Amino acid sequence: MSQAQSLFTRELMLPALRDAVIKLSPRVLIRNPVMFVTALVAALSSMILLEGLARAAPDLGFQAQLVFWLWLTVLFGNFAEALAEGRGKAQAASLRATKADLTARLADGRMVSAATLKVGEVVLVETGELIPADGEVVEGCASVNEAAITGESAPVIREGGGDRSAVTAGTRVIADWIRVRVTAAAGEGFLDRMIALVEGAERQKTPNEVALTILLTGLTLIFLVAVGTLPAFAAYAHGMLAVPVLVALFVTLIPTTISALLSAIGIAGMDRLVRFNVLAKSGRAVEAAGDIDVLLLDKTGTITIGDRQASDFLTLPGVTREALIDAARLASMADETPEGRSIVALAGAGAPLPVGAEEIRFTSQTRVSGVLIGDRALVKGAVDAVLRRLGDSVEPAAANALREQADRIARAGGTPLAVADGARLLGVIYLKDVVKAGIRERFAELRTMGIRTVMITGDNPLTAASIAAESGVDDFLAEATPEDKLALIRAEQQGGRLVAMCGDGTNDAPALAQSDVGVAMNTGTQAAREAGNMVDLDSDPTKLIEIVGLGKQLLMTRGALTTFSIANDVAKYFAILPAIFVVLYPALAVLNVMHLASPQSAILSAIIFNALIIPALVPLALKGVRYRPAPAGELLARNLAIYGLGGLIAPFIGIKAIDLVVAGLHLA
Amino acid sequence: MVVGRFGVLLPALAIAGGLAAKKRVPEGPGSFPTTGMLWISLLASVILIVGGLTFLPSLALGPIADHLQLFAH
């Protein structure tokens, strides 16, 4: 329940209540046609009530209650939207705090306010200073604390040239200095856009929302006609229908529930992404994520851990396995790289390095590393590098056997590392790209959701195929260049499929821009961040999988509440129709299946239920329906059972309960 | 009568045109199967509920009221 409580804290509720009243302005309401119509008929009923007051008509108490609940329906709708926006605003406020009063040092040493910086100007940022504007590092290298935007307190390296050159306004240089060329003027930077996004200021209706709004408006029109024809029927039966009663019927029938919650659902969807440290540049991108057919995933960092790990020792003829393992372990003891540590771990326990052992450091010239114990040199390294080091002293037969083994490992997708003790070749260490734990299950999950995964790698096709088989991806693209990636995305899109990918480098930018959902890593270049339609502040490429889930959850929440809203109408008919017409045709009383106390209490109960269901569903709209990966049919069947069937039954119970209270309090 | 006829006909034609202009999406493992019982019951209940909601007021005052009154006498 802690989540439900956090939705309704006092700090969020009070401004939301105030905003709900402010949003009664027709200019705001017109954006939501159904709620606008509701407000119009509420205004109409208010005028009729005032006119009735003026001539002291009877039955005003009932009319006044109807008018009260009609306005409350509109206010509840506004409140739902205001509450969703309020949660974003609370986040924006903490962002804005980091933006206050930034100053910049220009190339000539002058200090100016960040607000006056222009695109293309170069500023110097030194230790302890805040970076005044978004830009690209042109010179220098510094560690930068980006906690202000990512919440991650470990500093990151930012340097000129390469894929880590983008810096963000409001982040702090904690060591060294950089020169930054400004790429965004004040008010247009990353942080500004982020604030605008979480506040919902830039919110535009997404295609899906537009389509749903058209459907709901169409339904409203149908119900307008259906209710509009009733006075003619009443006239035939020599009766009269009061306008407030028709208004009540009309408002309960039009899909007020989903219309009131529609924008709240959208805002909450964006908000869930922001909480997940992913920034979507538009709601459209979030929706597209829910409809993705193909996921392009980079091998390194997403599918494999990224560091190669030792997985086996292969001896040459005439060498014992123990001798190889012992030599490999000793040669790797001083090696602090992940590869070296993995060799020691695989070799298991053994004697420590003897005192006086000297480390042979890896250099880019020798390309071998190891230890020197006395005059015994234990080395490991790439096969050709080790052979070159040993030179002519090596036996030709052993060298050939070594090459053969190395080839076999390479074909299987691994990296061979030769080990030598003095002039004697011992064998090879089989280094392997380690597939992340659990990734196979994730891909199986995606497959049940109907999403195809394609692994992108620069490796040769053999290595790629072996890793693809091990990780369980559906397909792979080996020796991939950025152009290949772009071509693959275009080909999939030609076939009508939606493609998602993530990337960080400048050469990823065209593919990021072409894909339907392009997630740029925050550590990437400015070009990549501009090209993608989402930015992952944690720079974790695995998140793509969760982003798809969040997108699906958003679409499902919207669908579930629409179904619920329309299914509700059935019960409302059974409440209101007999109530209205029982005067004209007493036999219609049999349609009063809920046995509501009186016609007036039936109408009032229906309109009260219609209003109260909105705040009751706000937590669901903001949190989203429960989502777990499953095939489309299974998910639909489950949600139809809950929200369709539930939507049919719930109002029968709800209206009956409210009727008992209304009748008990003698309200009608 | 003209509105009753063409007011319904024209939007339906517009919908057909709109659907024809949409790009085709190939059937994939993520597509919703449109051959099972689930689809049949979904389609049937949407037609029944939306149709029912549209015509129930008129039906209640016409045939249903007529029927109930006949039994009352």
Side-chain angles (χ1 to χ4, degrees), chain B residues 10-38:
Chain B
L10 288 177
L13 279 176
I15 292 172
L19 284 177
K22 292 260 188 314
K23 63 176 181 184
R24 293 177 73 95
V25 174
E27 207 171 318
S31 313
F32 177 63
T34 50
T35 45
M37 267 314 288
L38 180 61

Side-chain angles (χ1 to χ4, degrees), chain A residues 350-364:
Chain A
L353 270 184
V355 183
E358 246 181 85
E359 185 188 354
I360 302 172
R361 285 192 168 278
F362 179 91
T363 68
S364 51

Side-chain angles (χ1 to χ4, degrees), chain A residues 222 233 495 569 573 581 585 633 636, chain B residues 26 30 32 38 53-54 57 61 69:
Chain A
I222 289 177
F233 282 99
D569 281 2
Y573 260 145
F581 295 117
Y585 300 104
L636 186 72
Chain B
F32 177 63
L38 180 61
L53 290 177
T54 313
L61 293 176
Q69 274 190 327

Side-chain angles (χ1 to χ4, degrees), chain A residues 322-336:
Chain A
E322 287 68 37
L324 171 63
I325 291 176
D326 196 49
R329 194 174 56 79
L330 287 173
S332 308
M333 297 273 283
D335 184 354
E336 281 300 315

Side-chain angles (χ1 to χ4, degrees), chain A residues 223-288:
Chain A
F223 289 130
L224 187 63
V225 175
V227 174
T229 52
L230 290 183
F233 282 99
Y236 175 78
H238 309 293
M240 266 281 285
L241 294 174
V243 175
V245 171
L246 286 178
V247 163
L249 177 62
F250 176 61
V251 168
T252 50
L253 289 184
I254 61 176
T256 45
T257 315
I258 178 62
S259 303
L261 297 174
L262 191 56
S263 54
I265 295 169
I267 296 169
M270 292 277 269
D271 198 48
R272 269 198 296 279
L273 269 182
V274 172
R275 269 153 210 271
F276 196 52
N277 258 356
V278 174
L279 213 69
K281 292 187 188 162
S282 68
R284 180 188 285 257
V286 188
E287 271 175 12

